[in-house]
Amino acid sequence: MNAIVLSIGDELVLGLTVDTNSGWLSRELAAIGWNTARHVTVGDDEAAIHAAIVAAAPDCDALLISGGLGPTKDDLTREALARALGQPLEINEKWLARMTEMFQKRGRPMPPSNRVQAMIPRRAEMIANMAGTAAGIEAAMPLRDGGDVCKVFVMPGVPNEMRTMFQRSVAPKLAGAASGATILTRTLHTFGLGESAVGEMLGGLMERSRNPTVGTTVANGVVSVRIAARSGSRREAEETLGQTVAQCLEVLGDLVFGAEEQSLPMVIAELLKKAPVRRVGTAESCTGGLLAKMLTDIAGSSQYFQRGWITYSNEAKIELLDGPARIIEQHGTVSEPTVIAMAESARKKSGSDFGLSISGIAGPDGGSTAKPVGTVCIALADAQTAVARMFSFPGNREMVRDRSAKMALTMLRYHLLGKTMPF
Amino acid sequence: MNAIVLSIGDELVLGLTVDTNSGWLSRELAAIGWNTARHVTVGDDEAAIHAAIVAAAPDCDALLISGGLGPTKDDLTREALARALGQPLEINEKWLARMTEMFQKRGRPMPPSNRVQAMIPRRAEMIANMAGTAAGIEAAMPLRDGGDVCKVFVMPGVPNEMRTMFQRSVAPKLAGAASGATILTRTLHTFGLGESAVGEMLGGLMERSRNPTVGTTVANGVVSVRIAARSGSRREAEETLGQTVAQCLEVLGDLVFGAEEQSLPMVIAELLKKAPVRRVGTAESCTGGLLAKMLTDIAGSSQYFQRGWITYSNEAKIELLDGPARIIEQHGTVSEPTVIAMAESARKKSGSDFGLSISGIAGPDGGSTAKPVGTVCIALADAQTAVARMFSFPGNREMVRDRSAKMALTMLRYHLLGKTMPF
């Protein structure tokens, strides 16, 4: 069964408010076996709302509308729906009485403008609102071809009123109609390879005709793999989802650092806190504190992180190293010997098991032919040894800094796993 | 002129990622006189993308598409657009060469799957991507009725790539096309007071019937005031906008730290770099490096920032202070005397004009009745004196850390302006 989600409001279409309703509704719909075919957003304009309803109805089994049910002149959803249904608006005495009572309880007379909130199209049904004066509307819209109808549900735009109404009054009706179909999803996260390289590893798993489907997305350098299983039976969806997840994990191996809400800092925290707890100290140049900030994103991080240095200038680096300036003079600040010395110092001075260090050219200035913007050296030291790597990250200053800190965490992650980094 | 914004991605239509592109594009469009008629979101499905393009084109003068330009099999926007235009896909040699070069620079061979990213419909034009391999596409779609065409611009879904491409390559073309009515906007940013307090200061300026309109929005603790002037004449729009901006500035005073794309770190950088250049050193506990990260967000920050300490544990704080542990033992780590000692040490040890320090309870654990989660002490030291303030920030760990770092910057900002903080 296909749904379309229609959101109404000038503030949404002007981009002044982020629309969280559409995404929330899609997730709830998926959980009860409904597929969301599209989201549409229009402003507080009767003609636009009417056109959107008329265009959406033939393409779906249920049209979920939110917004435009308030008492003011810019709330026009009920008028547009009535016109789309070809029915007049009529007062719903039950809701009028309920609203009057709500105002009485608050010791205020009901303003005349609220009366419009009890108007619904003839033959439609009112949906009670537990948290406000905007009643919802349920209607059946006949489609030109044949006896099919599109179910229409109108809910308030205020997120908590919409959510309560959907869960109490709309979801139960849709769950019945879906007759058991389920969509289950699982998202795996990777860092270190580009989207195309991950896509090539997945190969045939990404065929569009497959069920479960496998897709990739990138956000802040993290390439995520999303697996979605659709089936008439929940058990079958769970089974096929599990199978495809296992296939993806087999292909991607340790490249997958986590799933769903897990971030790199969370995964590092879990690995470091595993008995015996191990600690890490940091020394950062171009990232200017971002690596330490990521390590301390997690509550309880004092167990594994206690001390970090931001050595943005050469003098600061020399002082941290507690030794001669020779290494920096000889190899430059962005060099493997320099970051190794920084990581070893950070480890010793912080009394940690590991030292992580970063020095690079975040840009936009400071690049050279030999070391262009994006050149970043990262080192990891433990009690026995230290390794350094030179990377070339694409993008602007913010991206270079973000990828550098994530790559440092990734080097530590592979080390904690006892594995070799595959890139 | 009317635009429609079409976003493509399974992760969007399934509600797994919040769509920030559509709102951003609408705000940018309004700024250059374009009205956004609607937002539409569909999944990674060629038929759905094709249908959305065909349905949108007759309703708008420009169709802005983002997403579905990646190198993997689930990226189908270029195929759907080619079919909607009735043109075959052809390789763009210029972009293919550019991509090959990008991979060469990073010392990796280009995976064969990336080749598809250089395919564009015949007669369409390629739009260069400054930050990634997904080139954009510009095409003109003839409409059935008459000689009209709908301009189509396809951009990557990754927000920063999309934004850069829109500002560099798409906005200049659209700005020329918009004739007649003009919408000019100006956004002022404040930090330190809540949205309702800022709203009360603005008072009658926020009347909805007013032109220019004045509205407020909050993002990450920054309360922004958006002024929008609409007029048939650009000169009139400019004049009335200027008047209302002046009225807002008069009411809000130094609370306004910047406008448009200006951030707190940018403003601090400008103030510190004004001759004579002054330097700041940092000592951070609960923010774990975030304050230093913000100070070094700006290119050229080595002029005013050279050294910072992250003293997450008590031992680290005691070592930084180079003195007896008495202050911390007597007053606790989250106390005004402790942060004053930290700020003074950071100033002296970094050889800076100013020292900034933060110690607090970011949560979710570690709070007490006397010092609940969100209690944060911040100090600012200069050569003569040091001041400390205790704050109580609402929200989760991430919010408390973000507000703490921003408040430290705000304390420094008022000090550099020679003004007293009004909160």
Side-chain angles (χ1 to χ4, degrees):
Chain A
M1 307 292 267
N2 278 314
I4 289 179
V5 175
L6 171 59
S7 305
I8 289 156
D10 278 350
E11 75 284 5
L12 299 174
V13 87
L14 285 170
L16 302 176
T17 299
V18 174
D19 169 28
T20 54
N21 283 354
S22 303
W24 186 88
L25 280 169
S26 295
R27 292 193 298 277
E28 293 291 311
L29 285 165
I32 54 172
W34 281 72
N35 176 53
T36 301
R38 62 179 186 262
H39 298 166
V40 180
T41 306
V42 297
D44 295 311
D45 175 89
E46 199 198 316
I49 303 168
H50 176 260
I53 294 172
V54 170
D59 291 352
C60 63
D61 304 291
L63 173 59
L64 303 189
I65 306 177
S66 69
L69 287 181
T72 52
K73 291 195 183 89
D74 58 350
D75 292 299
L76 299 160
T77 302
R78 52 178 81 75
E79 284 79 0
L81 176 64
R83 191 147 69 84
L85 293 167
Q87 299 288 351
L89 281 170
E90 294 177 339
I91 199 88
N92 181 291
E93 293 295 344
K94 195 172 142 199
W95 191 250
L96 188 64
R98 181 71 208 287
M99 272 201 296
T100 312
E101 190 192 334
M102 277 188 222
F103 278 94
Q104 265 167 2
K105 272 190 187 160
R106 294 167 58 192
R108 299 192 206 167
M110 187 177 84
S113 61
N114 280 86
R115 197 182 148 85
V116 74
Q117 292 190 296
M119 304 287 283
I120 65 167
R122 182 179 292 168
R123 289 191 207 156
E125 279 180 54
M126 190 267 300
I127 312 174
N129 182 341
M130 296 293 123
T133 55
I137 302 170
E138 178 182 348
M141 190 154 160
L143 301 177
R144 248 167 263 157
D145 43 353
D148 284 356
V149 294
C150 169
K151 281 170 184 267
V152 182
F153 297 91
V154 187
M155 295 171 283
V158 179
N160 70 330
E161 296 184 24
M162 184 280 288
R163 292 176 185 206
T164 307
M165 188 179 289
F166 179 83
Q167 283 167 334
R168 280 182 55 98
S169 310
V170 180
K173 300 199 175 190
L174 294 177
S179 63
T182 303
I183 305 173
L184 296 178
T185 66
R186 179 101 176 138
T187 306
L188 306 174
H189 306 297
T190 73
F191 180 80
L193 290 181
E195 190 179 15
S196 51
V198 172
E200 274 172 31
M201 290 171 82
L202 292 167
L205 286 163
M206 287 188 74
E207 279 302 329
R208 298 310 287 157
S209 53
R210 216 179 167 280
N211 180 21
T213 55
V214 177
T216 56
T217 50
V218 201
N220 299 320
V222 171
V223 176
S224 300
V225 179
R226 211 202 45 261
I227 302 116
R230 289 153 210 258
S231 169
S233 115
R234 191 178 174 87
R235 230 188 85 207
E236 193 186 82
E238 273 168 6
E239 261 182 41
T240 59
L241 181 75
Q243 284 159 6
T244 300
V245 168
Q247 286 174 291
C248 291
L249 286 171
E250 201 185 314
V251 165
L252 299 172
D254 294 313
L255 196 63
V256 175
F257 67 78
E260 309 303 339
E261 301 299 310
Q262 281 184 304
S263 65
L264 263 174
M266 275 186 213
V267 171
I268 293 291
E270 279 167 25
L271 287 170
L272 287 170
K273 281 158 69 178
K274 254 188 207 158
V277 172
R278 281 155 300 175
R279 290 181 179 174
V280 59
T282 57
E284 301 177 64
S285 184
C286 68
T287 45
L290 180 58
L291 173 59
K293 184 262 171 196
M294 285 187 186
L295 283 164
T296 58
D297 273 346
I298 311 304
S301 44
S302 57
Q303 281 181 62
Y304 54 82
F305 178 85
Q306 307 211 325
R307 219 170 293 200
W309 287 265
I310 301 147
T311 54
Y312 211 63
S313 65
N314 270 4
E315 296 72 44
K317 288 183 190 76
I318 291 164
E319 193 192 278
L320 169 75
L321 303 184
D322 256 349
R326 204 167 18 88
I327 295 173
I328 295 175
E329 276 164 20
Q330 202 175 325
H331 302 276
T333 46
V334 181
S335 68
E336 284 144 323
T338 297
V339 286
I340 283 186
M342 285 168 68
E344 282 177 338
S345 260
R347 188 188 77 78
K348 277 183 217 149
K349 287 197 166 189
S350 66
S352 299
D353 302 272
F354 303 108
L356 272 177
S357 68
I358 303 176
S359 181
I361 300 146
D365 310 311
S368 65
T369 319
K371 291 175 185 171
V373 168
T375 305
V376 178
C377 287
I378 306 178
L380 166 63
D382 66 12
Q384 282 76 46
T385 181
V387 286
R389 283 280 305 270
M390 189 178 282
F391 297 92
S392 172
F393 296 113
N396 61 20
R397 180 178 179 85
E398 191 186 340
M399 288 161 72
V400 170
R401 283 163 36 107
D402 176 76
R403 302 310 180 268
S404 300
K406 283 176 178 158
M407 188 56 86
L409 295 180
T410 300
M411 281 174 69
L412 178 57
R413 180 177 156 261
Y414 274 96
H415 185 81
L416 290 167
L417 293 173
K419 298 285 176 66
T420 308
M421 228 168 46
F423 38 80
Chain B
M1 307 291 269
N2 277 314
I4 290 180
V5 175
L6 171 59
S7 306
I8 290 156
D10 278 350
E11 73 284 5
L12 299 173
V13 87
L14 285 169
L16 302 175
T17 300
V18 174
D19 169 27
T20 54
N21 283 354
S22 304
W24 185 88
L25 280 170
S26 296
R27 293 194 298 278
E28 294 291 311
L29 285 165
I32 53 171
W34 282 71
N35 176 53
T36 301
R38 61 179 186 264
H39 298 167
V40 180
T41 306
V42 298
D44 295 310
D45 176 90
E46 200 199 314
I49 303 168
H50 176 261
I53 293 172
V54 169
D59 290 354
C60 62
D61 305 290
L63 173 59
L64 302 189
I65 306 177
S66 70
L69 287 183
T72 52
K73 290 191 187 100
D74 58 347
D75 291 299
L76 299 160
T77 301
R78 53 178 80 77
E79 283 78 0
L81 175 64
R83 191 149 67 85
L85 293 168
Q87 299 289 350
L89 281 171
E90 294 177 338
I91 198 89
N92 182 290
E93 294 295 342
K94 193 175 145 197
W95 191 250
L96 187 64
R98 181 72 208 287
M99 273 201 295
T100 312
E101 190 193 336
M102 279 187 218
F103 278 94
Q104 264 168 2
K105 270 193 187 158
R106 297 176 59 195
R108 298 190 197 175
M110 187 177 86
S113 59
N114 279 88
R115 198 180 148 85
V116 75
Q117 292 190 297
M119 303 287 284
I120 66 168
R122 182 179 293 170
R123 287 190 208 157
E125 279 179 54
M126 189 269 298
I127 312 175
N129 183 340
M130 296 294 125
T133 55
I137 302 170
E138 177 182 349
M141 190 156 158
L143 302 176
R144 246 167 266 158
D145 42 354
D148 284 355
V149 295
C150 168
K151 279 169 186 270
V152 182
F153 297 91
V154 188
M155 294 171 283
V158 178
N160 70 331
E161 296 184 23
M162 184 280 288
R163 291 177 185 206
T164 306
M165 189 180 289
F166 180 83
Q167 283 167 333
R168 280 183 56 99
S169 310
V170 180
K173 299 199 176 191
L174 294 176
S179 55
T182 304
I183 307 173
L184 295 179
T185 66
R186 180 99 177 141
T187 308
L188 307 173
H189 305 297
T190 72
F191 180 81
L193 291 181
E195 191 177 16
S196 52
V198 172
E200 273 171 34
M201 290 171 83
L202 292 168
L205 286 165
M206 286 188 73
E207 279 300 329
R208 294 312 288 154
S209 53
R210 216 180 166 280
N211 180 21
T213 54
V214 177
T216 57
T217 49
V218 201
N220 299 319
V222 171
V223 177
S224 300
V225 179
R226 186 179 187 79
I227 302 118
R230 286 155 210 258
S231 170
S233 115
R234 191 177 175 88
R235 230 189 86 207
E236 194 186 82
E238 274 168 6
E239 260 182 43
T240 59
L241 181 75
Q243 286 160 6
T244 300
V245 168
Q247 286 174 293
C248 291
L249 285 171
E250 200 184 316
V251 166
L252 300 172
D254 293 314
L255 197 62
V256 175
F257 67 78
E260 310 304 339
E261 299 300 310
Q262 280 184 304
S263 64
L264 264 174
M266 275 185 215
V267 171
I268 292 292
E270 279 167 26
L271 287 170
L272 287 170
K273 280 157 70 177
K274 256 188 206 158
V277 172
R278 282 155 299 175
R279 289 180 178 175
V280 58
T282 56
E284 302 177 64
S285 184
C286 67
T287 43
L290 180 58
L291 173 59
K293 184 261 172 197
M294 285 187 187
L295 283 164
T296 58
D297 273 345
I298 312 304
S301 45
S302 56
Q303 281 182 59
Y304 55 83
F305 178 85
Q306 307 211 324
R307 221 170 293 201
W309 287 264
I310 301 147
T311 55
Y312 212 63
S313 65
N314 270 4
E315 296 73 42
K317 288 183 190 75
I318 291 163
E319 194 194 277
L320 169 75
L321 302 183
D322 256 349
R326 202 168 20 90
I327 294 174
I328 296 175
E329 275 164 21
Q330 203 175 325
H331 302 277
T333 46
V334 181
S335 68
E336 283 143 323
T338 297
V339 285
I340 283 185
M342 284 168 69
E344 283 178 337
S345 260
R347 188 188 76 78
K348 277 182 216 149
K349 286 196 167 191
S350 65
S352 299
D353 303 273
F354 304 108
L356 272 177
S357 68
I358 303 176
S359 181
I361 301 146
D365 311 310
S368 64
T369 319
K371 291 175 185 170
V373 167
T375 305
V376 178
C377 287
I378 305 178
L380 166 62
D382 65 13
Q384 283 76 45
T385 180
V387 287
R389 283 280 304 271
M390 189 177 282
F391 296 92
S392 173
F393 297 112
N396 61 19
R397 181 177 179 85
E398 192 187 339
M399 289 161 73
V400 170
R401 284 165 34 109
D402 176 76
R403 303 308 180 267
S404 301
K406 284 176 178 158
M407 188 56 87
L409 295 181
T410 301
M411 281 174 68
L412 178 57
R413 180 176 156 262
Y414 275 96
H415 185 80
L416 290 168
L417 293 173
K419 300 283 177 68
T420 308
M421 230 170 43
F423 38 81

